[in-house]
Amino acid sequence: MRTFEELHTIEAVDSFISSNPLSFIYISHTDCSVCHALLPQVGKLMENFPEIQLAHINSAEVEEIAERFIVFSVPALLLFIDGKEYLREARIVHMSQFEERLQKIYEGYTN
């Protein structure tokens, strides 16, 4: 399983996205059991996408994250390419559909 860089400020999130051409942000909340259960599954899936840089942020710690990215429910999974959001999944994530969509975007970018 790949690990996620822990981000603790909105500035760290902005810097992470701007400094990584392929960046993925996993937004969770302390009291969200689905968030905690899904994170290792996403980390395992991301082994197939080594060029994507991974980060995690807790919306209870950095409340501005919800407003910045218009997140109404967690977990929220956001993929950015060159600073632009290309993929978003939230709340109920169907892993097989998420993987298919991610694969298409990743192949288009890396090939």
Side-chain angles (χ1 to χ4, degrees):
M1 179 180 103
R2 291 188 52 205
T3 57
F4 291 75
E5 180 181 337
E6 293 293 327
L7 304 177
H8 302 283
T9 66
I10 199 71
E11 293 81 15
V13 172
D14 291 340
S15 176
F16 178 82
I17 292 169
S18 66
S19 62
N20 294 296
L22 286 170
S23 54
F24 179 84
I25 306 284
Y26 187 97
I27 303 170
S28 67
H29 192 278
T30 306
D31 298 330
C32 171
S33 59
V34 173
C35 297
H36 299 295
L38 188 62
L39 185 62
Q41 292 178 47
V42 173
K44 178 85 173 126
L45 171 67
M46 287 301 185
E47 290 176 352
N48 301 322
F49 308 100
E51 293 186 34
I52 299 175
Q53 300 305 306
L54 309 177
H56 171 253
I57 191 157
N58 184 338
S59 63
E61 180 183 348
V62 184
E63 295 176 358
E64 308 98 310
I65 197 77
E67 181 181 343
R68 169 70 56 86
F69 295 108
I70 311 169
V71 172
F72 296 109
S73 61
V74 288
L77 291 64
L78 309 176
L79 174 70
F80 297 87
I81 298 176
D82 297 325
K84 181 179 178 203
E85 184 180 319
Y86 266 76
L87 179 63
R88 174 185 290 242
E89 293 287 331
R91 199 169 187 184
I92 299 170
V93 178
H94 299 282
M95 288 300 289
S96 60
Q97 291 174 356
F98 174 66
E99 182 177 11
E100 284 177 25
R101 292 176 66 200
L102 187 57
Q103 183 73 41
K104 286 178 185 173
I105 293 168
Y106 188 78
E107 286 175 358
Y109 184 82
T110 58
N111 290 337

